[in-house]
Amino acid sequence: MGAFLDERLPVGVRLGAKYSHEFTVDVVETAGGKEYRRLVHPYVRARFTLSYSAAKESLWAGVIGLYHRAYGTYAGFRVRAIDDYSTNGTTGAPTISDQPLSLVSSGVYQLRKEYGTGGTPLSIGLPARTIFKPITGSVLLSVRNTLTGDHAVTGFSVDYATGQVTYPANKTKSITAITQAASAVLTVGSAHGFNVGESVYISGVNGMTQINGRRGTITAVGATTITVGINSTGFSAYSSGGTTNTRPQTGEEARGGCEFDIPCRFNTALDVSTLSSDWREAPQIEIIELISP
């Protein structure tokens, strides 16, 4: 791992640039012609080939300046790919449910993007890109519950240098009553600390067992109660027990979306051609993605 300049390639990956996605695969062929292939890692890796023509001063202030600050192929920097900078498709506006996140530690998840959706994946799953460089202010998070869908998360934190997100600290309370209503009202005791817009996972309830395993977004709070977006009208009557939790629980999925830059480095020396007394060209600049910046 080397140094990283937290700045973006100043002239962007523009129209006319070439790019490719590659995978690291070891291929061994036997004398009999059989192939044995080994996937070294499951990550997409981008490679860009760029060419720039500009006034001498502009080229030096832009691409050549970054090349010098990066010590050539040594340090990384951000690249915004014209065809791939969002977790929603390729360039769509991010949503709370775009991509599954990978667990790093308790409450901490890694932003990522899967590729090749829309078909049947191999048993090892879809290839993915670890998103190390999300765009500030673009990150959205949710908790996906198989029974009640996606629930937005607020109050989270983002490490924009690593792409790791931390869900708010878990809030848990015991339940002592639940109403049968279009929006169930849970009695959870005083000083419960829940806020409108948060969501809670419900488990361990007796009597109204149909509510177990569901997550509901809080629509109102009282001194000792919270109202959640779960229709419990047709459920059995509550008898006892139950617990609420805000962080993702077993069987739920942390999901999120964002815009992102791709961490890259120069992969070749930067050659400059003289087109005229004041005009320069930097052809065939190869830039490659850093899998672990």
Side-chain angles (χ1 to χ4, degrees):
M1 296 176 67
F4 192 86
L5 297 169
D6 194 25
E7 58 181 280
R8 184 183 284 172
L9 181 69
V11 286
V13 177
R14 63 183 186 180
L15 294 174
K18 297 179 182 179
Y19 66 86
S20 63
H21 279 179
E22 60 186 40
F23 298 92
T24 305
V25 180
D26 281 342
V27 181
V28 177
E29 185 174 340
T30 67
K34 290 185 177 181
E35 279 190 357
Y36 292 89
R37 298 181 297 276
R38 181 178 70 90
L39 185 64
V40 177
H41 59 72
Y43 303 115
V44 175
R45 191 177 199 186
R47 188 185 298 268
F48 303 94
T49 303
L50 315 176
S51 298
Y52 297 106
S53 297
K56 178 178 65 176
E57 291 78 9
S58 297
L59 196 64
W60 275 81
V63 175
I64 296 176
L66 176 60
Y67 181 79
H68 286 158
R69 290 192 295 278
Y71 285 82
T73 59
Y74 173 62
F77 48 87
R78 291 174 175 256
V79 170
R80 184 175 179 87
I82 192 171
D83 285 346
D84 188 15
Y85 60 80
S86 173
T87 53
N88 181 10
T90 55
T91 60
T95 76
I96 63 172
S97 57
D98 288 346
Q99 302 286 333
L101 310 181
S102 57
L103 181 65
V104 177
S105 59
S106 179
V108 181
Y109 296 84
Q110 179 68 56
L111 292 168
R112 59 194 296 274
K113 178 179 179 178
E114 293 182 337
Y115 290 81
T117 58
T120 303
L122 296 172
S123 60
I124 57 177
L126 292 172
R129 165 174 281 129
T130 301
I131 298 176
F132 293 106
K133 306 299 177 184
I135 302 302
T136 301
S138 72
V139 178
L140 301 171
L141 300 181
S142 69
V143 179
R144 173 166 291 182
N145 182 279
T146 56
L147 297 175
T148 59
D150 297 316
H151 300 263
V153 174
T154 60
F156 57 86
S157 62
V158 182
D159 186 333
Y160 290 100
T162 65
Q164 293 184 2
V165 296
T166 303
Y167 277 55
N170 189 50
K171 297 179 183 179
T172 182
K173 280 286 186 178
S174 296
I175 302 169
T176 57
I178 306 176
T179 64
Q180 293 168 298
S183 295
V185 179
L186 285 60
T187 301
V188 292
S190 60
H192 52 69
F194 293 119
N195 300 304
V196 171
E198 294 178 328
S199 66
V200 292
Y201 178 87
I202 301 167
S203 61
V205 172
N206 298 312
M208 191 184 285
T209 55
Q210 301 95 326
I211 204 168
N212 287 327
R214 295 177 183 267
R215 177 174 288 269
T217 297
I218 299 172
T219 58
V221 296
T224 61
T225 62
I226 58 173
T227 302
V228 297
I230 297 176
N231 187 344
S232 60
T233 304
F235 293 175
S236 304
Y238 173 88
S239 61
S240 65
T243 305
T244 59
N245 286 279
T246 53
R247 271 188 175 176
Q249 300 296 298
T250 301
E252 295 188 305
E253 186 177 49
R255 297 187 71 89
C258 66
E259 290 187 2
F260 59 90
D261 288 331
I262 299 175
C264 296
R265 64 170 175 81
F266 291 104
N267 199 40
T268 56
L270 197 157
D271 294 325
V272 178
S273 301
T274 302
L275 300 181
S276 70
S277 59
D278 297 320
W279 204 256
R280 301 291 183 268
E281 181 182 36
Q284 301 296 306
I285 304 170
E286 186 175 284
I287 295 172
I288 192 165
E289 181 174 358
L290 296 170
I291 299 299
S292 298

